[in-house]
């Protein structure tokens, strides 16, 4: 049985240097609040307001700074904001919706970059070999929770920079009652 830690990824934003300075002022840097499970990734003290046509909401900033600004929200969040969120892998933002961001020093208008992250598994090459999977392979993952279900169309992402974990958004987590420490079984 191939078990993987399942983590819920709540709404958040990754900022480019340009967006960071527009929102928090020239020369601004991110303030680490806590490390995340993926090596080098961290939650920041900074928060940004997403301003959509129907409403707005605050989201946490994750560091470090990235080449492109990317908002990751659930489909429920997208409906609440009144924006479209394409289901995409992180980094695949071409042709996606944009949104206005508000920070303490100003606004930043994104022309693209709003996504609902495709459910995925992070693995090192060694972990991938142990699980018998490869980069970009699509698998299923079974969660045995109070509301058991099988997630289909889960993309495997392999890099020596990763730590083994599956990431789902809050809508998916709620549907599966995936609260607390949860493991899933990879089904090939």
């Amino acid at each position: 049985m191939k078990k993987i830690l399942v983590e819920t990824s709540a709404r958040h934003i990754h900022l480019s240097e340009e967006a960071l300075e527009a929102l928090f002022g020239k020369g601004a840097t991110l303030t680490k609040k806590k490390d995340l499970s993926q090596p080098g990734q961290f939650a920041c003290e900074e928060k940004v307001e997403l301003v959509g046509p129907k409403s707005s909401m605050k989201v946490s900033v994750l560091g470090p700074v990235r080449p492109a600004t990317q908002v990751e929200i659930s489909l429920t969040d997208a409906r609440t904001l009144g924006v479209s969120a394409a289901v995409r892998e992180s980094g695949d933002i071409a042709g996606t919706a944009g949104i206005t961001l508000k920070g303490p020093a100003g606004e930043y208008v994104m022309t693209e970059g709003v996504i609902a992250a495709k459910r995925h598994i992070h693995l090192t090459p060694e972990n991938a070999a142990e699980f018998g999977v490869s980069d970009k392979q699509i698998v299923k993952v079974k969660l045995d929770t109070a509301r058991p279900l099988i997630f289909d169309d889960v993309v495997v992402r392999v890099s020596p920079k990763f730590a083994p974990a599956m990431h789902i958004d809050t809508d998916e987590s709620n549907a599966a009652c995936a609260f607390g420490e949860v493991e899933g079984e990879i089904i090939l």
Side-chain angles (χ1 to χ4, degrees):
M1 203 180 305
K2 302 167 181 142
K3 295 274 189 172
I4 187 82
L5 174 67
V6 179
E7 298 178 320
T8 303
S9 181
R11 65 179 76 110
H12 62 272
I13 187 167
H14 301 278
L15 295 174
S16 66
E17 192 66 48
E18 177 186 23
L20 176 66
E21 289 197 349
L23 296 166
F24 295 96
K26 188 147 179 69
T29 58
L30 295 174
T31 311
K32 185 188 287 190
K33 182 177 181 179
K34 68 175 184 174
D35 287 317
L36 299 175
S37 65
Q38 292 305 307
Q41 303 294 305
F42 54 93
C44 302
E45 296 288 347
E46 291 80 12
K47 292 199 182 291
V48 168
E49 186 176 4
L50 306 178
V51 182
K54 287 173 60 179
S55 69
S56 64
M57 64 179 59
K58 293 244 182 187
V59 295
S60 296
V61 176
L62 299 188
V65 169
R66 289 198 178 179
T69 298
Q70 175 177 291
V71 170
E72 294 183 38
I73 56 176
S74 71
L75 295 176
T76 299
D77 291 337
R79 287 181 73 179
T80 300
L81 290 165
V83 297
S84 173
V87 178
R88 298 274 186 92
E89 282 188 60
S90 182
D92 181 12
I93 61 170
T96 60
I99 198 164
T100 299
L101 310 176
K102 255 191 204 174
E107 289 188 0
Y108 184 80
V109 178
M110 295 173 56
T111 56
E112 63 182 12
V114 177
I115 66 167
K118 182 178 175 104
R119 57 183 83 107
H120 59 280
I121 298 173
H122 293 280
L123 294 173
T124 65
E126 296 78 20
N127 299 136
E130 288 170 23
F131 282 99
V133 296
S134 57
D135 191 43
K136 301 296 182 196
Q137 183 175 344
I138 303 298
V139 298
K140 296 178 183 182
V141 179
K142 179 182 178 184
L143 274 62
D144 188 18
T145 61
R147 292 175 84 185
L149 63 77
I150 296 173
F151 284 111
D152 198 353
D153 197 29
V154 180
V155 66
V156 175
R157 299 175 57 198
V158 179
S159 168
K161 297 177 181 174
F162 290 156
M166 176 178 172
H167 287 163
I168 58 178
D169 71 19
T170 52
D171 286 349
E172 295 164 322
S173 179
N174 288 335
C177 283
F179 311 128
E181 189 148 322
V182 176
E183 288 189 326
E185 178 188 349
I186 296 177
I187 303 169
L188 302 179

